[in-house]
Amino acid sequence: MARIVQKFGGTSVGNLDRIRNAARKTAAEVTANHQVAVVVSAMAGETNRLVRLCTDLSRIHDAREYDTVVASGEQVTAGLMAIALQDLGIAARSWLGWQIPVETDDVHAKARILEIQTAELDRRLNNREVAVVTGFQGVSTRQRITTMGRGGSDTSAVALAAALNADRCDIYTDVDGVYTTDPNIVAQARRLNRITYEEMLEMASQGAKVLQTRSVELAMKHRVRLQVLSSFANPVGSDLPGTLVVDEEEVLEQEVVSGIAYSRDEAKVTVIRVADQPGVAAAIFGPLADAAVNVDMIVQNIAEDGSVTDITFTVPRSDLHRTRQVLEQIRNQTPYERLITDANVVKISVIGVGMRSHAGVAKRMFQALAERGINIQVISTSEIKISVLIPEEYTELAVRALHAAYGLDRP
Ligand code: ADP
Ligand code: ASP
Ligand code: MG
């Protein structure tokens, strides 16, 4: 007997037939004598609809009320899933974030889980009842509903698996695993049988939305056995293996580059002709950090006469408005000539733990892009990743070119 957390994403609970299909997958595990907790997302498109209601009503709205609104999608699917399971003769009960409770900090819209109380869930699971838990939502230390950022149900599932000491956390989605790149834009992408936590972490943080970044961090920290599976491809009981996220030692043949990710959620900001002296970077990036703007790539150009310089950096597209506001506010103390912003950019990243021991990875990337006439605007690297910022219209072309250049195309 094992204890399993299953998570069904938006498309996997997108309509009543799909909810029934998901319930049958849960029922199969219960019939096999396993204890199951199910984490559900909102029905496909529902969270986007709820977000739009908030922004249409008021462009800059109270994040606490945003959370109250957007958390509601998961409440509906949790109840529907419990009904679908009961219809199959399975004992099941739904649980909202505050009922468990899933305790989070009070950073609304991107809350982090502090603790999950499991005594009651433990008791119910031991009594053979399926616990259907809302993904994405929790309750803050101030007793308000919080949400964990877009894609946050993955994190709910992994955190629950860790808290419940589950043997497995199965993420059911609309693709049958983690691919070398997004299979929806590169037909030649290959499914990976295994991927290391570290690579998955980079893939997720560089834009591969198949798993939320925080969920991979938690899985790595708590050594949760995490796998990504399709909720559609296979009939119940014959699930193909999907992709297992594992430790580096468990991957036998390591490619130099194992995947390519892209993120359209990028905007580029250039501060033109700011003083080239100590303290200027702190004067710019300090206030941005205080405003919770997450600055990613940064380049500072060297000015010819050494007195002024240009600084270019990237921020999430949704933070561009706030970034402009902050930079305008500091202009008196930190003068600059002007600001240039560009939201039509995309960040493309090649990722692989094999990069640590192989040279020439960057060269191949720059060559492949140059051959297609794609101009690189900003570059950044880590031990196992190289990222470039390019014009957004070249996204597909660049990802396909790199996928081929690193020999990742399906034979
Ligand atoms: P869910 O609603 O189940 O959480 P998501 O839409 O959040 O599903 O994530 C699944 C999607 O992630 C896939 O449909 C695919 O387009 C996208 N994706 C991006 N990169 C990858 C990758 N490397 N492997 C698999 N899927 C990827
Ligand atoms: N429903 C939320 C979203 O769309 C959470 C999730 O699906 O993981 O972002
Ligand atoms: Mg998702």
Side-chain angles (χ1 to χ4, degrees):
M1 186 196 75
R3 183 175 269 195
I4 303 164
V5 173
Q6 295 181 317
K7 179 253 172 178
F8 293 98
T11 17
S12 309
V13 292
N15 58 41
L16 296 183
D17 278 342
R18 288 181 172 183
I19 290 175
R20 279 191 204 100
N21 173 62
R24 280 195 289 271
K25 290 200 181 283
T26 304
E29 301 289 11
V30 174
T31 309
N33 217 18
H34 299 315
Q35 296 182 357
V36 192
V38 180
V39 173
V40 286
S41 290
M43 296 167 93
E46 179 62 7
T47 309
N48 286 345
R49 188 183 74 83
L50 295 167
V51 171
R52 248 190 335 266
L53 288 177
C54 295
T55 42
D56 284 357
L57 189 62
S58 166
R59 182 147 180 244
I60 300 180
H61 44 259
D62 188 324
R64 284 160 291 205
E65 302 312 337
Y66 165 94
D67 275 351
T68 304
V69 175
V70 299
S72 65
E74 271 71 11
Q75 173 165 346
V76 173
T77 38
L80 291 174
M81 184 69 172
I83 294 174
L85 284 164
Q86 290 166 359
D87 262 0
L88 295 174
I90 306 279
R93 186 59 64 213
S94 68
W95 296 86
L96 305 183
W98 66 267
Q99 289 175 306
I100 295 178
V102 175
E103 296 167 2
T104 74
D105 61 18
D106 58 3
V107 184
H108 285 272
K110 38 183 160 182
R112 285 165 81 97
I113 297 174
L114 302 173
E115 205 178 339
I116 301 180
Q117 303 292 343
T118 53
E120 181 64 13
L121 289 191
D122 256 329
R123 197 177 65 74
R124 303 245 183 172
L125 291 178
N126 288 332
N127 280 338
R128 300 266 164 235
E129 187 177 285
V130 173
V132 184
V133 177
T134 49
F136 190 45
Q137 47 161 278
V139 59
S140 77
T141 43
R142 295 174 193 209
Q143 305 301 312
R144 295 218 63 92
I145 290 175
T146 52
T147 64
M148 294 157 202
R150 298 306 305 272
S153 297
D154 298 327
T155 300
S156 308
V158 173
L160 190 64
L164 287 171
N165 251 319
D167 299 280
R168 269 173 25 218
C169 181
D170 296 347
I171 305 283
Y172 283 97
T173 183
D174 56 359
V175 283
D176 62 351
V178 179
Y179 279 67
T180 45
T181 192
D182 187 346
N184 286 325
I185 73 161
V186 179
Q188 295 301 316
R190 275 187 290 128
R191 184 176 61 77
L192 299 162
N193 286 321
R194 289 167 178 238
I195 185 167
T196 66
Y197 287 111
E198 268 184 300
E199 286 168 323
M200 192 61 240
L201 193 59
E202 285 283 12
M203 289 276 273
S205 67
Q206 300 309 318
K209 67 168 181 166
V210 60
L211 288 174
Q212 198 197 34
T213 308
R214 181 83 185 121
S215 73
V216 189
E217 273 171 15
L218 282 180
M220 192 165 159
K221 183 168 164 205
H222 298 286
R223 288 293 179 261
V224 172
R225 203 153 177 87
L226 184 63
Q227 56 180 337
V228 179
L229 304 154
S230 165
S231 61
F232 306 127
N234 320 295
V236 168
S238 67
D239 282 336
L240 290 172
T243 299
L244 206 56
V245 188
V246 295
D247 278 323
E248 208 166 324
E249 305 82 66
E250 290 186 65
V251 177
L252 300 176
E253 273 185 48
Q254 197 60 64
E255 307 280 346
V256 177
V257 166
S258 33
I260 296 167
Y262 65 94
S263 165
R264 295 184 203 268
D265 181 25
E266 307 289 327
K268 187 179 68 165
V269 179
T270 305
V271 187
I272 304 278
R273 293 179 74 80
V274 64
D276 190 7
Q277 64 191 41
V280 165
I284 292 176
F285 296 117
L288 286 172
D290 294 342
V293 173
N294 211 346
V295 174
D296 179 21
M297 308 165 106
I298 303 177
V299 276
Q300 178 172 337
N301 305 321
I302 301 196
E304 272 171 32
D305 64 1
S307 65
V308 288
T309 184
D310 299 341
I311 296 180
T312 298
F313 57 91
T314 61
V315 295
R317 218 171 268 182
S318 51
D319 285 343
L320 184 55
H321 184 70
R322 200 144 28 115
T323 303
R324 272 190 157 284
Q325 279 181 332
V326 170
L327 293 176
E328 270 148 28
Q329 277 160 13
I330 64 164
R331 196 166 184 174
N332 279 340
Q333 305 95 288
T334 312
Y336 52 84
E337 189 185 291
R338 70 197 153 98
L339 284 182
I340 303 177
T341 58
D342 182 1
N344 296 314
V345 289
V346 63
K347 182 173 60 171
I348 314 269
S349 306
V350 301
I351 292 141
V353 287
M355 261 183 225
R356 288 197 197 112
S357 48
H358 284 79
V361 182
K363 181 182 140 203
R364 197 181 298 186
M365 181 176 203
F366 303 151
Q367 253 170 8
L369 296 174
E371 277 161 18
R372 268 90 183 167
I374 301 173
N375 191 32
I376 299 171
Q377 302 178 347
V378 186
I379 302 169
S380 72
T381 61
S382 79
E383 210 185 1
I384 65 162
K385 168 210 84 182
I386 307 167
S387 302
V388 294
L389 198 73
I390 62 167
E392 189 179 8
E393 66 256 37
Y394 294 118
T395 309
E396 281 84 359
L397 181 63
V399 174
R400 286 188 195 125
L402 293 171
H403 199 262
Y406 289 107
L408 296 174
D409 281 358
R410 213 193 311 228

